[in-house]
Amino acid sequence: HVRNGEHQVWAAVDPALLFQLAQAGNSINQCAHRLNSQHINGTALDVLDAARSSKRIEQGLLAIRVEHVGKK
């Protein structure tokens, strides 16, 4: 939303964009939960797996940006 003086103006957002962003957010939460669980349980952290997951999420977000904004 954008503040316009005293009024709030809400811009229309493509529902497909919101869905894709929600999926990315869920992926980030899953990664964080897995890493926190490993840390709490004293299990060795799989840093490479976490890095690969982060890279996949980044690539997904870039694809969303290209699809909905048209820029890289």
Side-chain angles (χ1 to χ4, degrees), residues 10-71:
W10 295 90
V13 177
D14 183 355
L17 172 61
L18 292 177
F19 179 76
Q20 290 174 324
L21 291 174
Q23 285 182 315
N26 289 337
S27 294
I28 292 168
N29 285 337
Q30 288 173 3
C31 290
H33 177 72
R34 185 174 62 242
L35 290 172
N36 286 331
S37 294
Q38 289 174 342
H39 176 69
I40 289 169
N41 294 330
T43 307
L45 299 177
D46 190 344
V47 177
L48 289 177
D49 184 50
R52 284 190 293 268
S53 294
S54 295
K55 189 62 175 174
R56 282 192 302 272
I57 293 168
E58 177 187 20
Q59 290 168 339
L61 289 171
L62 287 173
I64 291 169
R65 180 179 178 189
V66 168
E67 182 178 340
H68 290 278
V69 179
K71 299 177 184 174

